[in-house]
Amino acid sequence: MSTPAELTSPPPSRRLALLPVDARPVVRAQVVQLAKAGGIELVVPPVSTLGHFRQPAERDVLADWLRAQASNVQGFVVSLDMLIYGGLVPSRFIADSKESLLARLDVLRQLKQAFLHKPIYAFLATMRISNNNVNDEEKPYWDQYGELIWRWSYYSDQYQVTGDAEANVQAIAAINRIPEAIRDDYLVTRARNFAVTCAVLDLVGYEGINGLVLPQDDTARYGFNIAERRELEALVATKKKANWVRIYPGADEVAHTLVAHVANDVWVNAPLKVCVIYSDPDHVRRLVARYEDRPVTASLAAQLAAVDAVVVDDVDSADLLLAVHTQGPAQGDWAMKIALPSASSINGAWLANLRAVHQSGKPIAVLDLAYANGGDPVLMEQLPAYVPFSELAAYAGWNTASNSIGSLLAQCVLARGAYQTPTNQEVVCLRLVEDYLYQSIWRQRIRHVIDESAVSAVELQAVVAQMFIPAANAWLAEHHFAYRVGSIQLPWQRTFEIDIHLVPQSTLQE
């Protein structure tokens, strides 16, 4: 993304304003923590102003908050889903008109007019198409027609792109099972959101949005959202804004990567040099992660560019070794109970390489992408014999592949040269406890013993705390971390998300 020359001079202090996509810890509090590892103060709105799950945020209050921060920060990272729609989830069903939604962009024009030299980086997700009948985050009719809408979307686009007659048969079969009124409502919402995105492109430039990411939330190879991506790519090219706009899979990690990008542009201006090694090179270049539309290697390339990192072939000349772990031709998924198609042993030569690099003193970051929504227990049982967990520079294995890739690379950029500091090690500790211990192991066990839809939020949180905290702390002690889990919360009163509060082990009574 382009940045005007006058934006690169060092400001008197390192302070940025972040308007997150919602109030979840992973997109707000954890980004603040990540920025702190890079010596950056990230100012964020109070949780109370950011809405809650399906409840839209107080958008007028947030616009006023941005205006109030403007004179005290050196730049802005803004979720347009939050500014325009009141959050990522409300963007899928809020009923506001296109005109009223676009009027909410006025605050960005005002900020730029008053502070031309302060960069504004923004992100706005393409509306996802969930492939199941879970309507927690969708329109009410999704519980009956969600999978059919996905099939209609996927096969219609496949037919348009390839001319595959069987795809057309599948699309028509899905269409015929969806009431016309629901089809019309869904298409109207998509068209409105797409029109808003197209209008946002007109704000991109030196005197507006200095960089824009249009993440593709929960994608597949084909679909209405993929057709929109193609149109957006063509529009960006026509408007000659390719240096300003990035389009790639992701969503929840974009605040992380944009903060890293702004920090590098404004305060460092030197790319992080990364050497990449894959645990399963025979499959990874063809592996398309779940909820994405391209091979993992292409998603990695997009995220590397997003944080201003470059790949080098020689580990000795790299700032960091990036160890990417996958298993076989497809991902598993802990949340959806999808096993790996063909589990195998971990590549011994890859592990031995990690040990040698670690012994040389080179920082190592581990991307654990064998599964969506959690880490790989097979890897995690073996890895400490080669590289102790507490000596990693970074680890990630949460949600989608791009969520993990983007947040980990952002951490590597922000904490460059300071990977063993307490601030960065707390981030490493949190990711291991949340991505591996909770998402891949204890969330499954908790769901096995309790029906979360049948108990109160208070009871559910109590069960999670009772089962998870002692096990997590025993694991942290075993691996010589200086932190323990002091408490947990469930931000959206369900087990999918968790807010883990770490405390120094020294503050706890033995």
Side-chain angles (χ1 to χ4, degrees):
M1 297 178 188
S2 297
T3 302
E6 64 267 23
L7 301 183
T8 60
S9 58
S13 61
R14 296 188 172 196
R15 186 183 298 117
L16 301 173
L18 168 66
L19 182 61
V21 74
D22 54 48
R24 286 172 296 156
V26 74
V27 296
R28 180 184 176 276
Q30 291 179 18
V31 189
V32 173
Q33 182 186 37
L34 204 64
K36 184 180 178 182
I40 296 167
E41 180 186 356
L42 203 58
V43 185
V44 292
V47 169
S48 60
T49 65
L50 293 172
H52 181 75
F53 198 23
R54 296 179 67 91
Q55 179 65 39
E58 301 174 34
R59 289 169 285 173
D60 292 337
V61 171
L62 293 175
D64 289 340
W65 178 86
L66 282 170
R67 295 185 187 96
Q69 302 307 315
S71 61
N72 299 315
V73 299
Q74 281 68 56
F76 306 85
V77 174
V78 178
S79 164
L80 298 182
D81 291 290
M82 175 58 73
L83 182 66
I84 297 172
Y85 302 106
L88 183 61
V89 172
S91 72
R92 301 165 192 154
F93 51 73
I94 198 167
D96 299 28
S97 69
K98 181 185 77 172
E99 291 72 24
S100 66
L101 293 172
L102 288 175
R104 296 192 174 278
L105 293 168
D106 287 346
V107 64
L108 299 186
R109 298 184 180 94
Q110 294 162 7
L111 291 175
K112 206 62 182 177
Q113 185 176 11
F115 302 95
L116 180 61
H117 64 290
K118 296 187 179 185
I120 297 175
Y121 283 80
F123 56 109
L124 178 62
T126 298
M127 194 170 105
R128 77 171 190 177
I129 307 178
S130 175
N131 63 359
N132 54 57
N133 284 349
V134 179
N135 73 341
D136 289 354
E137 302 178 26
E138 311 292 341
K139 293 208 174 194
Y141 49 69
W142 210 265
D143 62 347
Q144 296 182 62
Y145 300 103
E147 185 177 352
L148 286 170
I149 292 172
W150 184 89
R151 292 175 64 83
W152 166 38
S153 163
Y154 184 94
Y155 291 111
S156 293
D157 188 49
Q158 183 182 17
Y159 176 65
Q160 289 295 322
V161 171
T162 68
D164 184 339
E166 178 57 28
N168 192 38
V169 170
Q170 294 279 3
I172 292 172
I175 290 169
N176 288 338
R177 295 174 62 189
I178 305 169
E180 183 178 2
I182 289 176
R183 297 200 308 265
D184 290 347
D185 175 80
Y186 184 71
L187 291 178
V188 165
T189 303
R190 288 210 72 91
R192 181 204 63 185
N193 286 18
F194 182 72
V196 167
T197 301
C198 292
V200 167
L201 288 175
D202 293 330
L203 291 181
V204 173
Y206 285 126
E207 297 184 0
I209 295 173
N210 297 104
L212 177 66
V213 176
L214 302 177
Q216 308 295 285
D217 187 15
D218 283 2
T219 62
R221 186 173 181 182
Y222 301 105
F224 297 145
N225 50 349
I226 303 304
E228 290 170 3
R229 186 206 74 201
R230 296 192 297 267
E231 289 188 57
L232 289 169
E233 289 170 340
L235 191 58
V236 167
T238 299
K239 292 178 177 288
K240 301 186 186 304
K241 295 188 176 182
N243 289 335
W244 304 81
V245 180
R246 298 189 189 278
I247 305 173
Y248 54 80
D252 286 348
E253 84 294 340
V254 182
H256 304 69
T257 55
L258 279 180
V259 168
H261 177 86
V262 176
N264 190 65
D265 263 2
V266 176
W267 295 302
V268 180
N269 201 26
L272 182 77
K273 293 181 290 185
V274 176
C275 180
V276 183
I277 60 171
Y278 297 100
S279 69
D280 187 5
D282 293 338
H283 292 104
V284 71
R285 300 187 193 284
R286 301 187 303 275
L287 170 61
V288 177
R290 295 188 182 277
Y291 318 111
E292 300 196 0
D293 64 352
R294 64 197 70 188
V296 163
T297 51
S299 291
L300 176 59
Q303 297 283 356
L304 284 163
V307 298
D308 301 315
V310 296
V311 174
V312 296
D313 294 329
D314 180 12
V315 68
D316 291 334
S317 63
D319 297 312
L320 175 133
L321 179 72
L322 179 61
V324 181
H325 170 60
T326 58
Q327 279 206 63
Q331 271 192 320
D333 185 340
W334 289 114
M336 300 305 292
K337 299 181 181 180
I338 300 172
L340 288 172
S342 55
S344 59
S345 60
I346 307 300
N347 184 334
W350 180 75
L351 288 170
N353 197 357
L354 295 188
R355 172 189 282 155
V357 172
H358 173 253
Q359 291 174 344
S360 76
K362 185 72 64 175
I364 296 175
V366 174
L367 265 175
D368 193 351
L369 305 180
Y371 293 83
N373 294 302
D376 182 1
V378 176
L379 169 67
M380 301 303 277
E381 288 166 4
Q382 297 182 43
L383 183 60
Y386 297 85
V387 183
F389 288 141
S390 60
E391 296 178 25
L392 290 173
Y395 171 85
W398 62 288
N399 286 26
T400 69
S402 284
N403 291 161
S404 288
I405 297 168
S407 64
L408 180 136
L409 290 176
Q411 180 181 355
C412 294
V413 167
L414 288 164
R416 182 188 331 204
Y419 297 120
Q420 292 305 313
T421 62
T423 304
N424 188 66
Q425 279 300 297
E426 185 177 359
V427 177
V428 175
C429 183
L430 178 62
R431 291 268 59 85
L432 286 163
V433 171
E434 182 169 336
D435 303 1
Y436 167 52
L437 277 185
Y438 180 73
Q439 290 194 27
S440 65
I441 296 176
W442 283 97
R443 184 168 60 190
Q444 322 311 315
R445 295 178 182 177
I446 291 163
R447 288 177 170 180
H448 182 72
V449 302
I450 190 168
D451 178 0
E452 60 188 282
S453 66
V455 298
S456 69
V458 172
E459 183 179 356
L460 181 63
Q461 182 164 306
V463 170
V464 173
Q466 182 179 22
M467 293 182 66
F468 176 67
I469 292 177
N473 285 340
W475 186 89
L476 288 169
E478 177 187 352
H479 292 284
H480 310 292
F481 277 101
Y483 299 93
R484 298 292 184 267
V485 178
S487 62
I488 63 95
Q489 292 180 306
L490 302 179
W492 283 355
Q493 289 78 55
R494 61 183 189 179
T495 58
F496 188 80
E497 300 88 6
I498 191 169
D499 184 8
I500 297 172
H501 299 274
L502 295 179
V503 296
Q505 187 271 336
S506 59
T507 66
L508 297 177
Q509 293 183 348
E510 297 295 338

